[in-house]
Amino acid sequence: MFQSNMFDSHHHLLDMTHNTPESEMEMIRDDEFESKSGTDIMEAPSGDDQDPNQRPKKKQYHRHTQHQIQEMEAFFKECPHPDDKQRKDLGRRLGLEPLQVKFWFQNKRTQMKAQHERHENSQLRADNEKLRAENIRYKEALSSATCPNCGGPAAIGEMSFDEQHLRIENTRLREEIDRISGIAAKYVGKPLLSYPHLSPHGPSRSLDLGVGNFGLQSGMAMVGDMYGAGDLLRSVSGPTEADKPMIIELAVAAMEELIRMAQAGEPLWIPSADNSTEILSEDEYLRTFPRGIGPKPLGLKSEASRESAVVIMNHINLVEILMDVNQWSTVFAGIVSRAMTLEVLSTGVAGNYNGALQVMTAEFQVPSPLVPTRENYFVRYCKQHADGTWAVVDVSLDNLRPSSISRCRRRPSGCFIQELPNGYSKVIWVEHVEMDDRAVHNIYRLLVNSSLAFGAKRWVAMLDRQCERLASAMANNIPAGDVGVITTSDGRRSMLKLAERMVMSFCTGVGASTAHTWTTLSGSGADDVRVMTRKSMDDPGRPPGIVLSAATSFWIPVPPKRIFDFLRDENSRSEWDILSNGGLVQEMAHIANGRDPGNCVSLLRVNSANSSQSNMLILQESCTDATGSYVIYAPVDIVAMNVVLSGGDPDYVALLPSGFAILPDGPGHHGGGILEVGSGGSLLTVAFQILVDSVPTAKLSLGSVATVNSLIKCTVERIKGAVVCENE
């Protein structure tokens, strides 16, 4: 607002400028520009009143009313340069002369210009101070620089090209860390602690990380009383505030390593003799990434693999699957037995996952109780790069839990995604872990050592198959020519959703997860039956009562494809399925969900040979890829399936899945070369789930255990007899 008591005549102001220092003059101008709210009017004295010795009277000061000021302020906002007509109209409306209006607008424009210049000057002064301080800092850094060869003071220009490149790279990484820290502070709700610049002479907590403990708390889906007292996953909670800056720095460095690992060729990745696989050169890796997460701990072996494929899914959906722990666990149910997000440090920006950062735990498995699971505590970081590509990287955080020793830790591993036309994406997957594999059973050792059990090839093969499955679920143009094909979109989606839950339930209950306690019924051989029990209560997706699970794994000298085709074929089911009682099995409906005809969800009807018994429906999903196959099935209620086929909710259909996991026994050797996966023998896991008592509080009888033991062994003998004889 303008004040009315500090507006002197222009002549008086000019007189003051001759005797006022420049700084004081600037203050006077500012005060006047900020205070004027009136207009000077010169009173012309009459001729009679004039005195030649008397100085002329000062201009009479006219005070504007509050209403006049408000009206002119409002008009100024709309039109700061009114013309003659506008000034006359405004003066007539406010009771002012057009000249008064003109002077007021001139003063107002001068005031606004002065304010803008003052703000601009202060900003320039601040920028100048920053540049001066930065210049001083650079001079100090140059004066303390040392020669990398002799250790003495270095002159400007002595720095090698590599060292200059490393310094530039370090600056860029630091900017990336600062950006992620800002995002994390925004979404976490409080700023992250500042962190020192890491140096080789700094404290021990740096990127050269030691081994540690990892894990997760209970509360995941499909897991009840999950852990024993010694379970590592149970002991870990979210990271502390002091850990978060280091986690961010580690994630940024891991992203850089993943991109280089995904794109590099020789000498980092060396092709095998027949160019079928790539082998990571450990010496070259250590030279390329000297820091990483530190040296390999004693007792751990390195396992590195890389695989690429083109999948039928766009990059946005792929990133969402990888960053959503529930979707990730579902799509990779054959590998991920348990997973949990402990804390989200950043949700990303601009409505996507670019910059998303989260601390997670996961347990990775092979579908057999004979292969120990791999438990990891890690950070997952997602970033969109300048060329439009995306990358999602994991790296272990074992250094944050130094109280316990890890049996497995993840060096930077993850997925590099490149968008392709028509909704496709190219995926490059890198898996790089260090693990203790001494507890792996001998019949699975070749499979694990060849990276087919946990390596990149298995991740990519499973992703490719699941992308085809999801595309099938979304398809609307299904031809109605074939008998039994479900053509309604609602019915297809409901049946696929039910089958998905069946597969997840089977996969989480067949491995060696520390969530389970397997009991071996007899002996110590590989094919001995292992059993466990659990109570099912208040779960609409499971029948209530005591559920007895039994599983066994064994080697069989038959190629995996032969076993897979035998087990999924409804015409040969009576040869091994004891529960079908020799009845005729007929396929009532099916959904193809992949290029391979073996990838299919079927609804089977068992026509009992005994006319007094009712017919039974079986839901079955068979799936296969380059690294393994599954045939999973469960008896289902006829009424419930009619609801599902009509598009109803499948979550309330009770399931107890059983089935088979078929893996190759290794890459296979023949004449020194490596044959296609699955050309040799097979590793077959058979798993049953049976409701032994409908009362959850009842005790499990020895007779029930003996029955399921006999059932599973009889099934194994029938399968061996059928497929081995036919193979010979």
Side-chain angles (χ1 to χ4, degrees):
M1 298 295 294
F2 294 106
Q3 303 297 324
S4 59
N5 57 352
M6 294 187 66
F7 188 22
D8 290 329
S9 69
H10 296 295
H11 298 290
H12 181 59
L13 182 59
L14 289 172
D15 290 339
M16 291 176 61
T17 60
H18 296 292
N19 302 313
T20 306
E22 184 176 318
S23 60
E24 294 182 13
M25 185 63 223
E26 184 177 342
M27 294 177 61
I28 291 173
R29 287 198 190 106
D30 292 345
D31 291 340
E32 291 211 351
F33 287 140
E34 292 176 359
S35 62
K36 292 180 181 180
S37 61
T39 307
D40 293 327
I41 300 177
M42 180 73 73
E43 280 191 1
S46 64
D48 298 336
D49 295 334
Q50 286 182 353
D51 184 353
N53 298 321
Q54 183 180 1
R55 295 180 63 184
K57 290 184 179 180
K58 291 183 180 180
K59 291 181 292 183
Q60 181 181 352
Y61 181 73
H62 176 80
R63 184 191 298 271
H64 296 323
T65 66
Q66 189 70 23
H67 172 70
Q68 291 170 336
I69 295 171
Q70 290 175 350
E71 289 294 319
M72 287 189 288
E73 289 275 6
F75 196 93
F76 183 85
K77 291 179 181 178
E78 300 294 331
C79 179
H81 292 274
D83 56 22
D84 290 340
K85 183 177 182 303
Q86 289 172 318
R87 288 198 295 268
K88 288 179 181 179
D89 292 342
L90 186 60
R92 184 168 55 252
R93 183 154 47 92
L94 299 178
L96 295 173
E97 293 294 328
L99 192 60
Q100 291 178 288
V101 176
K102 179 180 180 180
F103 286 162
W104 187 92
F105 273 85
Q106 285 178 346
N107 291 336
K108 182 66 175 177
R109 288 193 297 269
T110 305
Q111 176 199 9
M112 297 300 293
K113 181 180 178 182
Q115 289 178 349
H116 176 72
E117 289 177 348
R118 282 202 306 275
H119 175 73
E120 206 171 51
N121 288 338
S122 64
Q123 186 67 37
L124 290 172
R125 281 195 296 269
D127 292 343
N128 191 36
E129 288 299 323
K130 284 184 180 179
L131 291 173
R132 185 180 290 111
E134 192 171 359
N135 191 29
I136 294 172
R137 183 162 58 86
Y138 285 151
K139 287 181 179 179
E140 291 176 351
L142 287 173
S143 64
S144 59
T146 59
C147 175
N149 297 322
C150 66
I156 297 176
E158 283 187 4
M159 214 176 284
S160 67
F161 174 79
D162 290 339
E163 189 170 353
Q164 291 181 29
H165 179 74
L166 288 174
R167 288 178 182 270
I168 294 171
E169 190 77 0
N170 187 51
T171 302
R172 189 177 65 79
L173 290 176
R174 183 67 55 185
E175 291 173 353
E176 177 76 3
I177 292 169
D178 292 340
R179 185 178 71 84
I180 297 300
S181 298
I183 296 172
K186 176 181 177 183
Y187 287 94
V188 173
K190 47 191 172 183
L192 296 178
L193 300 179
S194 61
Y195 52 91
H197 291 269
L198 299 178
S199 67
H201 307 292
S204 59
R205 179 168 282 194
S206 68
L207 287 182
D208 299 320
L209 309 179
V211 295
N213 183 18
F214 53 85
L216 82 139
Q217 297 173 324
S218 59
M220 289 187 325
M222 298 193 301
V223 179
D225 185 13
M226 294 163 45
Y227 310 109
D231 184 18
L232 294 175
L233 289 181
R234 191 176 191 180
S235 63
V236 170
S237 57
T240 64
E241 289 298 317
D243 292 333
K244 290 177 183 177
M246 180 177 297
I247 291 174
I248 293 172
E249 185 157 357
L250 183 60
V252 172
M255 177 63 71
E256 295 297 316
E257 180 173 324
L258 174 70
I259 298 302
R260 295 173 69 182
M261 289 278 284
Q263 298 177 338
E266 294 188 65
L268 186 61
W269 293 97
I270 304 172
S272 60
D274 60 353
N275 290 319
S276 61
T277 59
E278 293 177 306
I279 302 169
L280 180 69
S281 169
E282 290 196 37
D283 292 338
E284 186 65 27
Y285 172 80
L286 292 176
R287 281 193 293 269
T288 308
F289 309 104
R291 298 188 71 186
I293 58 173
K296 180 173 61 180
L298 292 175
L300 298 189
K301 291 175 57 178
S302 291
E303 182 182 291
S305 57
R306 182 172 68 172
E307 187 73 17
S308 63
V310 175
V311 298
I312 182 170
M313 182 175 288
N314 64 55
H315 63 290
I316 297 174
N317 291 337
L318 281 175
V319 169
E320 183 177 352
I321 286 173
L322 295 173
M323 297 305 296
D324 184 319
V325 68
N326 293 322
Q327 293 189 55
W328 181 60
S329 302
T330 301
V331 170
F332 297 101
I335 305 176
V336 182
S337 55
R338 294 183 292 166
M340 185 177 184
T341 299
L342 294 177
E343 185 166 348
V344 176
L345 300 183
S346 170
T347 57
V349 294
N352 58 38
Y353 286 99
N354 184 24
L357 193 71
Q358 54 197 36
V359 177
M360 303 174 64
T361 55
E363 183 182 55
F364 307 110
Q365 69 166 5
V366 169
S368 170
L370 300 182
V371 181
T373 56
R374 298 179 176 183
E375 300 160 325
N376 283 124
Y377 171 57
F378 58 95
V379 59
R380 176 165 291 179
Y381 175 37
C382 176
K383 182 182 177 182
Q384 182 181 18
H385 297 272
D387 57 356
T389 59
W390 288 77
V392 178
V393 65
D394 299 342
V395 63
S396 284
L397 300 176
D398 299 300
N399 68 311
L400 304 183
R401 298 292 180 269
S403 59
S404 183
I405 297 177
S406 167
R407 290 194 305 109
C408 176
R409 67 174 189 167
R410 289 174 74 75
R411 288 189 176 273
S413 304
C415 185
F416 180 77
I417 304 168
Q418 180 181 355
E419 181 183 6
L420 297 178
N422 302 320
Y424 285 79
S425 299
K426 181 181 179 181
V427 171
I428 303 176
W429 201 289
V430 175
E431 279 294 305
H432 192 188
V433 299
E434 293 167 341
M435 76 297 175
D436 179 1
D437 65 349
R438 288 173 291 184
V440 176
H441 196 280
N442 286 335
I443 66 171
Y444 280 90
R445 190 169 294 279
L446 181 59
L447 179 74
V448 172
N449 291 344
S450 64
S451 297
L452 291 175
F454 295 97
K457 188 178 184 68
R458 188 171 177 223
W459 285 95
V460 170
M462 190 165 292
L463 176 63
D464 188 22
R465 176 167 55 80
Q466 289 287 11
C467 288
E468 290 184 358
R469 191 183 196 279
L470 292 171
S472 173
M474 301 301 294
N476 294 318
N477 54 344
I478 306 300
D482 295 337
V483 177
V485 175
I486 302 174
T487 58
T488 63
S489 58
D490 291 340
R492 289 172 59 85
R493 277 193 288 268
S494 293
M495 188 165 169
L496 286 172
K497 186 177 179 183
L498 180 62
E500 180 183 82
R501 177 160 63 87
M502 177 180 69
V503 171
M504 287 190 66
S505 177
F506 175 84
C507 291
T508 55
V510 73
S513 171
T514 53
H516 314 313
T517 303
W518 290 102
T519 300
T520 304
L521 293 184
S522 62
S524 59
D527 59 349
D528 290 327
V529 177
R530 289 160 173 80
V531 297
M532 66 176 174
T533 60
R534 62 173 175 266
K535 295 177 181 179
S536 176
M537 300 176 64
D538 302 324
D539 185 354
R542 295 176 181 270
I546 295 180
V547 177
L548 178 62
S549 299
T552 186
S553 297
F554 56 94
W555 178 82
I556 184 169
V558 179
K561 187 177 187 325
R562 171 73 190 94
I563 298 177
F564 175 69
D565 290 339
F566 172 77
L567 292 174
R568 74 179 182 87
D569 187 357
E570 70 273 13
N571 296 318
S572 59
R573 190 179 187 95
S574 59
E575 297 183 42
W576 59 265
D577 188 359
I578 298 173
L579 298 180
S580 65
N581 294 320
L584 178 65
V585 180
Q586 180 184 4
E587 185 181 65
M588 302 299 297
H590 75 271
I591 302 173
N593 57 11
R595 289 168 295 182
D596 193 296
N599 290 328
C600 179
V601 176
S602 304
L603 185 62
L604 309 176
R605 182 173 65 186
V606 180
N607 299 307
S608 176
N610 188 342
S611 59
S612 63
Q613 293 181 344
S614 60
N615 294 336
M616 178 175 60
L617 286 183
I618 295 176
L619 177 67
Q620 174 179 292
E621 174 157 358
S622 58
C623 50
T624 184
D625 59 47
T627 61
S629 307
Y630 294 86
V631 178
I632 303 168
Y633 62 92
V636 289
D637 181 72
I638 295 178
V639 176
M641 279 309 301
N642 283 330
V643 173
V644 171
L645 292 175
S646 301
D649 187 359
D651 291 341
Y652 294 94
V653 179
L655 292 173
L656 275 182
S658 300
F660 309 92
I662 310 157
L663 301 177
D665 59 0
H669 296 276
H670 185 268
I674 298 178
L675 297 178
E676 181 183 358
V677 172
S679 61
S682 301
L683 298 169
L684 180 61
T685 297
V686 182
F688 287 160
Q689 288 191 94
I690 298 175
L691 184 69
V692 296
D693 202 313
S694 60
V695 181
T697 56
K699 293 183 178 180
L700 182 65
S701 65
L702 292 177
S704 300
V705 175
T707 299
V708 74
N709 184 34
S710 175
L711 176 64
I712 200 168
K713 286 200 167 187
C714 186
T715 301
V716 169
E717 291 303 318
R718 286 192 175 195
I719 293 172
K720 286 181 177 180
V723 297
V724 173
C725 292
E726 186 172 339
N727 190 62
E728 292 175 350

